[in-house]
């Protein structure tokens, strides 16, 4: 019997290009909830990516300014 590794859960959909999009949306006054919707992700995923990806965290901080 061969062992195959089956990934658990969804693959990580994070793309660094989301940083630019988040900054652009933030400059238009969009909230984090609206940014997550525009990126096609849940607010929970946005928060997880913020915690896991330093570049995305900085982009969200810039989007708030």
């Amino acid at each position: 019997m061969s062992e195959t590794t089956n990934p658990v859960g969804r693959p990580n959909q994070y793309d660094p290009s989301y940083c630019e999009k988040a900054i652009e949306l933030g400059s238009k006054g969009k909230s984090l909830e609206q940014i997550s919707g525009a990126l096609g992700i849940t607010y929970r995923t946005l928060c997880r990516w913020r915690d896991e990806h330093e570049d995305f965290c900085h982009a969200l901080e810039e989007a708030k300014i």
Side-chain angles (χ1 to χ4, degrees):
M1 187 162 38
S2 69
E3 290 186 30
T4 355
T5 305
N6 291 327
V8 177
R10 292 183 182 176
N12 187 347
Q13 302 173 13
Y14 177 75
D15 182 334
S17 69
Y18 290 144
C19 294
E20 291 269 333
K21 181 113 176 153
I23 292 169
E24 176 187 330
L25 292 166
S27 71
K28 294 178 181 178
K30 303 296 182 185
S31 68
L32 294 180
E33 290 85 357
Q34 291 170 316
I35 291 171
S36 65
L39 295 177
I41 59 172
T42 64
Y43 179 73
R44 184 175 177 183
T45 297
L46 181 132
C47 293
R48 183 171 45 83
W49 287 356
R50 179 192 60 204
D51 296 341
E52 293 176 356
H53 303 279
E54 188 174 345
D55 58 338
F56 193 64
C57 179
H58 292 303
L60 291 178
E61 288 173 0
E62 191 172 332
K64 287 184 204 176
I65 296 174

